[in-house]
Amino acid sequence: MAMHSLSPATSSVRSIHQRPRISTKLLNRPTTLVPFQGNLLSWSSSGSYVELKARISVVDKTLPQKRCKQCECGIVFYFIFRNAIIMCATLEEIEAEKTVIEKNAKERMEKAIDSMLSSFNSIRTGRSNPAMLDKIEVEYYGSPVNLKTIAQISTPDSSSLLVQPYDKSSLKAIEKAIVNSDLGMTPNNDGDMIRLSLPQLTSERRKELSKVVAKQAEEGKVAIRNIRRDAIKAYDKLEKEKKLSEDNVKDLSADLQKVTDEYMKKIETIFKQKEKELLTV
């Protein structure tokens, strides 16, 4: 541990840490600490934290009250001076904690958006898209597998899909899975491949699908909010462990809110685009 002595007359606690955490063992009587009033006597560093020793002013509520002599407008308490030990996280430590928690939150938010996109892609918009079959599960040799893993899907034109299985024995299972899905399409099995023709979407059906998309977008937003909540809990935990101050947590939470707002905007943009596709005839 390195020890550095500083001049009490010139080194203010205020310049080292905005709101230091002061040991509860400092005083044995009911008092109120006065923030930022005091001089730094010395500081030492160990690992990622700094220990400050300072002379601070304290309001002692056990002493008689005394009216202000300057303006006679209020009541003040007598001040006493005590030595204090103040623990502060370094900027590097604060940034390290932020990086870990924020990175985790961003990764989870990206996955939430990917999940929403997958749901959007499974909803047909009037034009053929292989992604429409992303959620089709086929019973293949006794196990459910994704259709894309056992067949090639292509779009010969804007209103049809071709499903060509790698194993022709799976054609009937694929046909059954498509019929049982909520795609609303009737498969045409010619013995080699399955052709799917997309029926024209009615105005009423388009509105119904736009409501489904809106619900999925809201679910995505809820997921983002939950991820933000978990990150805030992680910051609060560090505050309880005395690794971050209350002000640190407020600043980091504000930064996290900016990240959250960015992902909320992404969801809204994607939703508006999908809604436009659905409602455009």
Side-chain angles (χ1 to χ4, degrees), residues 17 40 88 137 172 179 193 230 264:
H17 193 61
L40 183 66
C88 308
E137 295 285 328
K172 288 187 177 181
V179 170
M193 63 182 67
D230 292 343
M264 287 294 193

Side-chain angles (χ1 to χ4, degrees), residues 6-12 38-41:
L6 295 143
S7 171
T10 60
S11 302
S12 172
N39 293 320
L40 183 66
L41 302 178

Side-chain angles (χ1 to χ4, degrees), residues 183-230:
L183 289 175
M185 293 186 286
T186 302
N188 180 14
N189 184 351
D190 64 6
D192 290 320
M193 63 182 67
I194 292 175
R195 180 181 291 273
L196 298 169
S197 296
L198 278 68
Q200 189 68 30
L201 289 175
T202 64
S203 177
E204 183 179 351
R205 180 58 176 164
R206 289 178 185 276
K207 290 179 180 179
E208 289 176 358
L209 291 176
S210 67
K211 291 180 181 179
V212 172
V213 170
K215 181 181 178 182
Q216 292 173 344
E218 183 57 34
E219 290 172 351
K221 290 179 179 180
V222 170
I224 297 297
R225 294 189 194 103
N226 289 339
I227 293 168
R228 175 189 174 278
R229 179 200 62 199
D230 292 343

Side-chain angles (χ1 to χ4, degrees), residues 60-88:
D60 191 336
K61 292 185 177 181
T62 63
L63 297 178
Q65 296 180 358
K66 182 179 179 181
R67 193 170 292 277
C68 177
K69 292 182 177 179
Q70 294 182 351
C71 61
E72 296 294 333
C73 62
I75 296 176
V76 297
F77 297 101
Y78 281 103
F79 280 78
I80 60 173
F81 290 89
R82 297 290 180 92
N83 290 332
I85 295 178
I86 307 166
M87 298 298 296
C88 308

